[in-house]
Amino acid sequence: MPVKKPLALKKGDTIGIVATARWINPDSLQKAVKFLESKGFKVKTHPNNALRLHEWAGTPQERAKAFEDYWCDPKIDCIISTAGGTRTLHTLEYLNFEKMKKYSKIHMGFSDTTALLSAMLTQTNIAGFHGPSAARFSGEDAETYFKDFIALASKDKSAKETYLWDDAKIIHYGSGKGQLIGGNLCIFNYLLGSKYSPSFKNKIVFIEDEMEELRNIDRMLLQMRRLGKLEEAKGLIVGGFSMTLNTGRTEFPYSIDELVEEHTEGLNIPVITNAPFGHGRQLQIMPVGIKAKVKTENGKVHFQIAEDAVKN
């Protein structure tokens, strides 16, 4: 079944900001609102941004209701999650996906938002954007993030240009084409075996993470391989693994590249690391459910979004 693409965004449309995980400082939230308004959009912040339950903007039920409220509101044209964090996984059982299937709009976020992006793809068949949360539009790189966002969100032809990822490292050469799935490795891994985990068959899988133990990354990659998921894929793209931890009693001796190489040995697919997305400053948008191409040759990595990510 073809993935449903959200409607393209245009100036004057309304962007809704929903705290699907943690809340952020109100001043930062307002900076993000003003920035997006300066680009010609109306912006609404869901009242749940003011809720406080430890680090989260309300209970899982309250955060699920907030997301569903804006998703089913025809006056909201796009949703951007306020921030990542934790416990977005806990909201999924409280979402009425049958009701939400009737609507389609862009939803963007990353990190913990991986849970929602994968759930929306598997339960409503609607594509989403693994990209900057609203918090990213309050910082010094807001212009860079917005340029990437609007190119995809507005059906700009430049979004389908081929990117040369100069700093990416080739683990295994090859080329592949398929729908993009993935996001934050630990969240994506925790979805395996549930109805919210997308099929890996003929997909380009992308992963990234932050502040994760190397020994845990080893286990998660092993789990993917042991379940036969990586054998089904057409490619593996590994983004940033920032602030990786190695805090065991005995130092864990393998790097990210070494782990990726070990767990993809024998696979006839392109495998690259250090792609320009993740929790660091680089966060190129990866549209979940949209076809992409990755090609490696002569020591270079070429990446392209192979179709429009939205429809008119």
Side-chain angles (χ1 to χ4, degrees), residues 123 261 285 287:
Q123 302 305 300
E261 184 170 11
I285 296 174

Side-chain angles (χ1 to χ4, degrees), residues 123-140:
Q123 302 305 300
T124 70
N125 203 37
I126 298 172
F129 287 8
H130 178 275
S133 59
R136 290 283 178 124
F137 291 112
S138 67
E140 60 183 16

Side-chain angles (χ1 to χ4, degrees), residues 11-12 24-25 28 42 61-62 81 87 105 142 152 162 167 181 194 238 252 280 288 300:
K11 285 189 176 183
I24 63 172
N25 183 291
S28 295
K42 300 172 186 174
Q61 295 94 323
E62 288 171 325
S81 288
R87 293 177 68 89
K105 60 192 67 176
L152 284 170
T162 298
D167 295 328
I181 61 168
S194 76
V238 180
F252 192 75
V288 174
K300 302 292 185 181

Side-chain angles (χ1 to χ4, degrees), residues 6-256:
L7 289 174
L9 203 61
K10 60 186 185 299
K11 285 189 176 183
D13 282 349
T14 300
I15 296 174
I17 299 177
V18 181
T20 53
R22 65 179 175 85
W23 53 271
I24 63 172
N25 183 291
D27 289 341
S28 295
L29 182 60
Q30 284 308 305
K31 284 181 181 178
V33 169
K34 289 180 180 178
F35 175 82
L36 293 170
E37 287 177 339
S38 75
K39 298 301 181 182
F41 296 97
K42 300 172 186 174
V43 182
K44 289 185 66 176
T45 58
H46 195 281
N48 92 304
N49 280 283
L51 297 179
R52 300 289 184 266
L53 177 63
H54 305 293
E55 67 179 90
W56 305 288
T59 65
Q61 295 94 323
E62 288 171 325
R63 288 180 281 121
K65 183 180 184 302
F67 183 75
E68 189 175 312
D69 283 348
Y70 268 18
W71 186 268
C72 297
D73 185 344
K75 295 180 181 178
I76 302 292
D77 303 294
C78 166
I79 296 175
I80 300 178
S81 288
T82 303
T86 59
R87 293 177 68 89
T88 303
L89 285 164
H90 295 64
T91 68
L92 304 185
E93 279 72 25
Y94 301 107
L95 290 167
N96 186 339
F97 291 106
E98 285 301 314
K99 177 183 177 183
M100 295 169 74
K101 283 181 181 178
K102 302 174 185 177
Y103 304 88
S104 177
K105 60 192 67 176
I106 294 167
H107 170 223
M108 184 167 71
F110 79 112
S111 192
D112 210 50
T113 310
T114 296
L116 266 176
L117 294 171
S118 291
M120 291 299 290
L121 181 65
T122 57
Q123 302 305 300
T124 70
N125 203 37
I126 298 172
F129 287 8
H130 178 275
S133 59
R136 290 283 178 124
F137 291 112
S138 67
E140 60 183 16
D141 293 320
E143 289 287 351
T144 299
Y145 298 137
F146 183 79
K147 182 180 178 181
D148 191 21
F149 167 62
I150 204 63
L152 284 170
S154 66
K155 207 173 179 180
D156 189 329
K157 290 181 180 179
S158 68
K160 292 193 289 183
E161 69 179 281
T162 298
Y163 297 90
L164 180 62
W165 286 347
D166 291 322
D167 295 328
K169 180 178 178 179
I170 300 169
I171 303 297
H172 298 302
Y173 277 84
S175 61
K177 179 180 179 180
Q179 291 174 334
L180 289 165
I181 61 168
N184 180 263
L185 173 61
C186 66
I187 301 302
F188 197 56
N189 193 73
Y190 296 150
L191 293 171
L192 292 175
S194 76
K195 64 182 179 180
Y196 306 115
S197 180
S199 168
F200 281 58
K201 189 173 182 179
N202 297 325
K203 303 298 197 301
I204 302 291
V205 181
F206 68 94
I207 54 174
E208 60 82 35
D209 217 319
E210 182 178 62
M211 295 187 69
E212 187 58 79
E213 290 280 350
L214 281 166
R215 48 186 39 86
N216 287 342
I217 295 168
D218 180 30
R219 296 179 184 122
M220 289 186 280
L221 291 173
L222 174 63
Q223 178 77 342
M224 280 181 161
R225 185 68 190 264
R226 182 171 283 163
L227 291 174
K229 299 300 183 181
L230 296 180
E231 281 83 355
E232 297 177 349
K234 290 293 187 181
L236 176 65
I237 303 175
V238 180
F241 274 70
S242 50
M243 292 188 283
T244 303
L245 304 176
N246 195 347
T247 62
R249 291 182 179 179
T250 303
E251 183 176 338
F252 192 75
Y254 300 112
S255 68
I256 295 294

